[in-house]
Amino acid sequence: MSTENTSDQLFNNSVKILTDLIAFKTISGEDNSSLINYCDEILKKLGATSFKTFDDEKKRVNLFATLKAKNPSEKKPIILSGHTDVVPVSKGWNTDPFVATIKDDKLFGRGACDMKGFIACTLAFAPIYSKANLDRDIHFSYTFDEETACIGAPILIEELKKRGVKDGICIIGEPTNMKIIDAHKGCYEYTTYFEGLAGHSSAPHKGVSAVEYASRYVNKLIELREKLKERSPKDSIFDPPHSTLSIGGIFGGIAHNVIADKCHVNWETRPVVKEDGVFLNSELDKYANEVLLPDMKKVFPNSSITKKIIGEVTGFDRDKKSNACELVSNLTGDNTREVVSFGTEAGLFQEIGISTVVCGPGSIEQAHKIDEFIVLDELKKCLRLLDGIKGQSISN
Ligand SMILES: [Zn+2]
């Protein structure tokens, strides 16, 4: 940044914006439109064009705003992307989670690091981009409901495809302590519902026990888990190297002497490659529809097995020649590449051909926790990265 003075001003402004953002209670699943309008106002005043996409009820909003290049060149546009939702708060906070509070070198508040800190930095820096002689477009992408299995971003991505935005470099500012993350596994969550026929336990042949069929289904999942291990890619960069599968819960039955007519199973898988997710689901569906269900229907024709997708967060694959990683490396001097165990929206941007990197201020250690905070110095580091991007986005 040009002088010590502007740099102080920028930092103070990012703290002020972060304070405003934290005050919007944008818990996943709830209305985030006030926060989106706040961001849209700031960017529009700077001359940005923007469009919004919505959920079915039009309560939750994605914003995509653009500061257009003044001297268009061949350079790929840059997308600065963050999710606007935060996870719910539990009891035990030492401060009001929706009032940003600075203590020593930290700013406390829900979303401080995950990930309103990044959004605040991009908004604080936007006036500088708008005054600069940009030779590429800079986009600001703010999504809803990332924390609940990336529900908002796919709606935005569909619109980007329609508008022909399928090339570019995307920086997703999830908290990585400004380290470069270039891969993570997918995260697919499901609930499978079993409906059979209730009856007296003394005559098991006259009922269809949903609990028993659910148990056989769970056994099949455990059997398939072993197959996933065998499918582990040789050059896997993950720990563990293979796709994982976990049963989160089995719920069913009312009494010892009653055949359970209802049961459901919560389960999830984290595929290292997309093919594993396809393999697992097709094997499992085949077993449910061709083995279990016909058996259930022999006794009770209205029996059913229904698998509901809770969320399928696409994996983020390592790209050895990533424009996005190279850009950040050039600006920060950090040439390391790491993988993380949490999911992000990165795979969704990558899927439409946008080179993507996850890199942002703050630590995932503080995310989703009581007394979430961001170390203020992280905001300064992020502002320096945004300044570097300006340097790479003006013609000499
Ligand atoms: Zn996040």
Side-chain angles (χ1 to χ4, degrees):
M1 282 151 247
S2 32
T3 69
E4 200 47 45
N5 222 351
T6 48
S7 130
D8 278 353
Q9 224 174 30
L10 251 179
F11 170 71
N12 292 338
N13 208 18
S14 69
V15 170
K16 190 196 160 293
I17 294 172
L18 179 53
T19 303
D20 291 345
L21 294 179
I22 286 173
F24 294 105
K25 292 185 187 174
T26 50
I27 292 165
S28 312
E30 290 176 16
D31 189 333
N32 72 332
S33 58
S34 328
L35 180 147
I36 289 291
N37 291 338
Y38 169 93
C39 299
D40 200 18
E41 284 293 299
I42 292 181
L43 293 169
K44 269 197 183 137
K45 273 187 197 145
L46 300 171
T49 53
S50 70
F51 66 86
K52 293 171 180 171
T53 46
F54 305 86
D55 71 324
D56 291 341
E57 297 162 68
K58 297 226 159 190
K59 243 176 33 180
R60 296 166 295 165
V61 197
N62 296 312
L63 177 70
F64 195 83
T66 304
L67 286 169
K68 280 260 167 218
K70 289 181 185 147
N71 287 319
S73 69
E74 294 293 290
K75 289 184 193 169
K76 289 174 192 284
I78 289 179
I79 302 170
L80 303 170
S81 182
H83 62 80
T84 61
D85 61 314
V86 295
V87 294
V89 291
S90 43
K91 283 193 186 124
W93 278 68
N94 285 307
T95 59
D96 183 337
F98 298 104
V99 177
T101 310
I102 295 177
K103 278 188 211 163
D104 302 326
D105 60 339
K106 302 180 180 86
L107 184 150
F108 292 82
R110 175 54 89 222
C113 71
D114 189 11
M115 53 183 292
K116 290 178 170 175
F118 177 75
I119 295 178
C121 288
T122 59
L123 288 170
F125 211 89
I128 297 180
Y129 288 141
S130 81
K131 279 185 216 117
N133 227 355
L134 293 180
D135 60 3
R136 61 168 129 207
D137 293 352
I138 296 198
H139 303 290
F140 300 79
S141 159
Y142 304 139
T143 59
F144 67 86
D145 284 14
E146 186 271 348
E147 301 287 4
T148 43
C150 293
I151 292 166
I155 301 168
L156 167 68
I157 296 285
E158 270 312 303
E159 186 62 28
L160 291 181
K161 270 201 283 190
K162 274 188 213 152
R163 290 173 182 248
V165 183
K166 49 186 180 341
D167 192 17
I169 292 173
C170 177
I171 299 173
I172 297 187
E174 290 276 4
T176 69
N177 281 323
M178 301 305 290
K179 287 267 175 205
I180 294 173
I181 305 301
D182 70 343
H184 59 68
K185 292 182 184 179
C187 178
Y188 299 2
E189 293 181 348
Y190 307 90
T191 297
T192 309
Y193 297 88
F194 295 81
E195 281 203 40
L197 180 65
H200 198 285
S201 59
S202 61
H205 57 288
K206 289 186 184 162
V208 177
S209 168
V211 166
E212 288 180 18
Y213 282 96
S215 306
R216 288 172 64 183
Y217 187 85
V218 167
N219 277 335
K220 184 71 184 179
L221 279 170
I222 293 169
E223 189 188 307
L224 287 167
R225 176 158 72 189
E226 293 309 306
K227 295 244 167 76
L228 290 176
K229 282 185 194 162
E230 289 162 20
R231 291 168 62 93
S232 177
K234 276 196 204 80
D235 52 353
S236 178
I237 49 176
F238 295 107
D239 176 29
H242 50 82
S243 299
T244 56
L245 189 153
S246 167
I247 315 294
I250 308 175
F251 309 88
I254 52 168
H256 286 76
N257 58 356
V258 177
I259 298 169
D261 61 343
K262 285 192 175 63
C263 186
H264 68 271
V265 179
N266 293 341
W267 60 280
E268 63 127 62
T269 182
R270 296 185 179 236
V272 287
V273 288
K274 222 169 257 146
E275 293 73 29
D276 278 1
V278 175
F279 161 79
L280 176 66
N281 274 294
S282 78
E283 290 289 307
L284 186 65
D285 294 348
K286 211 165 90 185
Y287 180 69
N289 295 323
E290 293 175 15
V291 179
L292 297 182
L293 196 57
D295 223 32
M296 294 167 83
K297 287 192 167 181
K298 266 185 222 158
V299 178
F300 181 54
N302 286 339
S303 299
S304 64
I305 303 175
T306 314
K307 188 180 77 184
K308 188 178 164 212
I309 300 170
I310 304 302
E312 291 181 333
V313 179
T314 315
F316 175 33
D317 300 330
R318 175 163 287 173
D319 170 5
K320 288 203 177 105
K321 290 194 88 159
S322 159
N323 287 320
C325 292
E326 269 167 35
L327 175 79
V328 177
S329 277
N330 285 340
L331 296 175
T332 61
D334 178 3
N335 288 306
T336 60
R337 303 282 184 272
E338 291 174 22
V339 300
V340 286
S341 53
F342 56 90
T344 73
E345 295 170 341
L348 293 165
F349 285 95
Q350 190 177 47
E351 243 176 3
I352 60 166
I354 293 170
S355 179
T356 304
V357 59
V358 179
C359 175
S363 165
I364 196 72
E365 285 300 312
Q366 277 87 50
H368 300 200
K369 293 203 176 133
I370 289 170
D371 296 332
E372 176 177 346
F373 66 81
I374 188 163
V375 174
L376 291 168
D377 200 45
E378 286 287 308
L379 297 176
K380 291 184 184 163
K381 282 190 212 160
C382 183
L383 290 167
R384 277 200 288 277
L385 175 69
L386 296 173
D387 190 50
I389 289 172
K390 188 196 88 181
Q392 297 285 318
S393 307
I394 44 177
S395 306
N396 299 318

